[in-house]
Amino acid sequence: DAKTTQPNSMESNEEEPVHLPCNHSTISGTDYIHWYRQLPSQGPEYVIHGLTSNVNNRMASLAIAEDRKSSTLILHRATLRDAAVYYCILKANNAGNMLTFGGGTRLMVKP
Amino acid sequence: DAGVIQSPRHEVTEMGQEVTLRCKPISGHNSLFWYRQTMMRGLELLIYFNNNVPIDDSGMPEDRFSAKMPNASFSTLKIQPSEPRDSAVYFCASSWGWGSYEQYFGPGTRLTVT
């Protein structure tokens, strides 16, 4: 699987937008970009995924660079409940449903 | 839907004992995954089933670990004999379809081997 690089940690203020970056310079044409997050003492949960175009859902937005070598997960208004580890994962469409988790970014939200 | 169900939620056992972790996937899902999470190694995929058949077990650390999926609604992960380095949180996840579909994780089983 192609590798992703994320900052170890980030801080945000409550009710402000948060931009979580992910670099994936070796991404291949069939790799989807997935984001999961893991709240304290819980299992990971799916956030969003995309291939080429920007994506929006009720939880977040995913902005994908035109060359697909990087992406950004956007939380429009951070809440204290958004404090979690956020994982950016590349998954080839022909790889079944297997996910390879890296270290992720620990997001801390200050009141 | 109740989501992915795992039992027990916590398990404390002594070195050398057999440990069995259980998972009930979401009804209708045909893929099931076992992960292990530790501070040192992060979240690692141990084994992956599709339609009850093991597809990839390359993450299973050694022969002491075994996993089964006798039917679409139940899977077990067994460690025999257990060792202190097996202490971790074990997650089960399930998903539907083949390709880029989301996985649903259970709450995990925290295993402590003394």
Side-chain angles (χ1 to χ4, degrees):
Chain A
D1 289 332
K3 187 175 170 56
T4 62
T5 304
Q6 299 178 254
N8 288 335
S9 63
M10 290 184 63
E11 269 191 8
S12 171
N13 293 318
E14 195 176 12
E15 299 190 3
E16 290 186 357
V18 182
H19 291 234
L20 296 161
C22 181
N23 287 322
H24 29 78
S25 58
T26 59
I27 191 170
S28 73
T30 59
D31 285 342
Y32 281 78
I33 303 160
H34 284 242
W35 284 83
Y36 279 72
R37 73 178 185 180
Q38 186 172 19
L39 302 172
S41 300
Q42 294 189 28
E45 65 174 342
Y46 167 84
V47 177
I48 201 167
H49 78 277
L51 183 62
T52 55
S53 304
N54 295 343
V55 184
N56 300 296
N57 67 20
R58 64 175 180 81
M59 288 181 71
S61 296
L62 176 59
I64 302 173
E66 197 170 329
D67 63 4
R68 300 207 328 125
K69 293 183 184 300
S70 65
S71 61
T72 301
L73 180 71
I74 302 166
L75 307 179
H76 295 285
R77 284 186 65 193
T79 69
L80 297 179
R81 290 193 69 253
D82 291 322
V85 178
Y86 287 79
Y87 298 97
C88 171
I89 303 165
L90 300 184
K91 194 176 78 63
N93 197 35
N94 63 355
N97 292 340
M98 288 179 12
L99 298 173
T100 301
F101 286 81
T105 296
R106 181 173 297 278
L107 175 66
M108 293 165 279
V109 180
K110 297 183 291 184
Chain B
D1 198 321
V4 175
I5 299 172
Q6 292 187 247
S7 65
R9 294 293 309 276
H10 301 273
E11 176 80 35
V12 180
T13 190
E14 291 184 348
M15 182 173 64
Q17 297 298 305
E18 177 179 295
V19 176
T20 299
L21 310 181
R22 297 172 176 80
C23 176
K24 177 178 168 55
I26 292 173
S27 177
H29 283 186
N30 64 352
S31 294
L32 184 138
F33 308 81
W34 283 100
Y35 292 86
R36 177 173 68 175
Q37 187 170 36
T38 62
M39 289 291 292
M40 291 294 293
R41 300 176 67 89
L43 200 59
E44 305 172 278
L45 177 66
L46 300 178
I47 188 169
Y48 158 38
F49 292 87
N50 185 249
N51 293 325
N52 311 336
V53 176
I55 302 298
D56 189 330
D57 64 355
S58 59
M60 296 286 264
E62 40 194 287
D63 292 345
R64 298 184 298 107
F65 286 69
S66 63
K68 293 182 180 180
M69 191 163 186
N71 56 62
S73 58
F74 184 65
S75 177
T76 59
L77 178 67
K78 186 176 293 187
I79 308 172
Q80 165 64 21
S82 58
E83 297 182 2
R85 60 192 166 121
D86 302 330
S87 298
V89 181
Y90 290 81
F91 290 103
C92 176
S94 70
S95 68
W96 181 87
W98 183 267
S100 199
Y101 294 97
E102 62 183 278
Q103 290 185 18
Y104 294 80
F105 283 75
T109 294
R110 181 173 295 278
L111 173 65
T112 303
V113 183
T114 60

